[in-house]
Amino acid sequence: MLKLNKINKYYNEGTVNEICLFKDFNLTVEEGQFVSVVGSNGSGKTSMLNIICGTVPADSGTIYIGKENITHMPEFKRQRHMGRVYQNPAMGTCPHMTILENMALADNKGKRFNLRPGTDKNRRDNYREQLKTLGLGLEDKLHVKAGLLSGGQRQAMALLMAAMTPIRFLILDEHTAALDPKTAQTVMELTDKIVKEKKLTAVMVTHNLRYALEYGDRLLMMHQGTSVMDLSGPKKAAVQIQDLLEKFNAISIECGN
């Protein structure tokens, strides 16, 4: 279980440009839930992910994984529990390293380094099998540098790498936004497969309303640092894209747009 309790976050505090993004914000994500998060720009979606991952600290409040308080745990230690895939495909892989080296790096996340070679020959067949599941032919390009791959290939590989080691949470920050529709659909199907097979708890920020409805078992809509819609189970299954659009329009009118 992931729990955010009374989170407060200010930007430019003490200046004329002070912004209060979160005021006593609460969120509980149950073990095994796949939460799709939608909302307008500036609603706090990515900031929430950054606070969960430790990239950005909360000004006050507490964050728990199960019964463990991780509020002051540094980002690199939280990564032992979490895998994250970003919007930019270039952020999930090292462009000057080969596919094999990238896979080996992800495979050794959290492990001690020593004087052994960076890539284990005994693991290459395993990497090939995992890459083969992507259906992109990467299993035959182990010695190609990641920077030479297409954005879709890199993003699919980044998703695979994020879940290579045992993790509890998969954090997805608009990870299909920079892809063409066909590749985005492939990455979403792979996402759903990984979450289900590894029984992960997932939080996915997306601007694609169809994906928000089609994938996951809970839908959260955010606006100005608060949750304005939180649906799961039969209620999520019953909602339509038009319902989400009407809610967005209502929010826009309230803001004077």
Side-chain angles (χ1 to χ4, degrees):
M1 180 182 72
L2 174 68
K3 185 175 183 180
L4 279 65
N5 184 46
K6 294 186 177 180
I7 297 296
N8 291 285
K9 182 62 185 177
Y10 290 81
Y11 288 101
N12 305 313
E13 191 171 8
T15 73
V16 294
N17 296 318
E18 180 177 302
I19 297 173
C20 177
L21 182 57
F22 292 119
K23 179 67 174 177
D24 292 332
F25 177 74
N26 298 302
L27 176 68
T28 299
V29 180
E30 298 295 339
E31 196 80 17
Q33 269 193 334
F34 184 167
V35 184
S36 297
V37 184
V38 297
S40 58
N41 292 332
S43 61
K45 305 183 302 299
T46 295
S47 291
M48 178 184 70
L49 297 188
N50 286 333
I51 288 173
I52 290 172
C53 293
T55 309
V56 172
D59 293 328
S60 62
T62 53
I63 306 169
Y64 288 89
I65 291 181
K67 295 182 179 180
E68 182 181 8
N69 187 335
I70 67 166
T71 307
H72 302 293
M73 180 183 289
E75 182 179 10
F76 76 93
K77 288 188 176 180
R78 296 192 198 189
Q79 298 313 303
R80 297 171 184 172
H81 303 283
M82 303 174 183
R84 184 172 183 175
V85 185
Y86 297 85
Q87 177 178 344
N88 185 352
M91 294 184 68
T93 56
C94 298
H96 301 298
M97 297 174 66
T98 66
I99 293 175
L100 176 61
E101 290 167 340
N102 271 276
M103 295 289 284
L105 189 65
D107 197 17
N108 286 282
K109 185 180 80 170
K111 298 178 183 178
R112 291 181 179 273
F113 288 94
N114 53 33
L115 297 179
R116 66 188 177 191
T119 57
D120 186 343
K121 292 182 180 179
N122 295 325
R123 295 288 291 162
R124 291 185 185 183
D125 288 342
N126 178 270
Y127 299 155
R128 285 194 180 93
E129 287 302 313
Q130 292 194 55
L131 290 165
K132 192 175 182 179
T133 64
L134 302 179
L136 299 173
L138 298 181
E139 66 275 12
D140 298 321
K141 300 178 180 179
L142 288 181
H143 297 290
V144 173
K145 290 185 177 181
L148 299 177
L149 304 178
S150 68
Q153 288 174 321
R154 291 183 72 172
Q155 196 70 316
M157 193 172 80
L159 179 60
L160 194 64
M161 289 165 57
M164 279 187 71
T165 55
I167 57 172
R168 296 172 61 183
F169 302 95
L170 184 60
I171 307 298
L172 306 162
D173 189 1
E174 298 185 48
H175 69 308
T176 63
L179 308 178
D180 64 81
K182 182 178 179 180
T183 305
Q185 183 63 43
T186 299
V187 170
M188 275 308 311
E189 291 172 359
L190 175 63
T191 300
D192 194 50
K193 179 182 177 182
I194 288 175
V195 170
K196 289 177 178 177
E197 288 184 352
K198 294 182 178 288
K199 299 180 180 179
L200 301 176
T201 302
V203 181
M204 177 182 74
V205 166
T206 180
H207 280 296
N208 189 310
L209 299 184
R210 181 174 69 83
Y211 290 162
L213 292 175
E214 185 176 345
Y215 296 96
D217 47 24
R218 182 178 173 188
L219 173 64
L220 189 71
M221 181 184 290
M222 296 183 65
H223 177 61
Q224 295 183 341
T226 63
S227 170
V228 294
M229 181 184 289
D230 191 348
L231 305 173
S232 58
K235 290 184 177 179
K236 178 181 183 294
V239 75
Q240 302 292 321
I241 288 181
Q242 186 60 35
D243 300 325
L244 298 183
L245 289 173
E246 288 176 1
K247 186 66 174 178
F248 268 119
N249 290 336
I251 290 171
S252 296
I253 292 173
E254 289 175 8
C255 293
N257 295 327

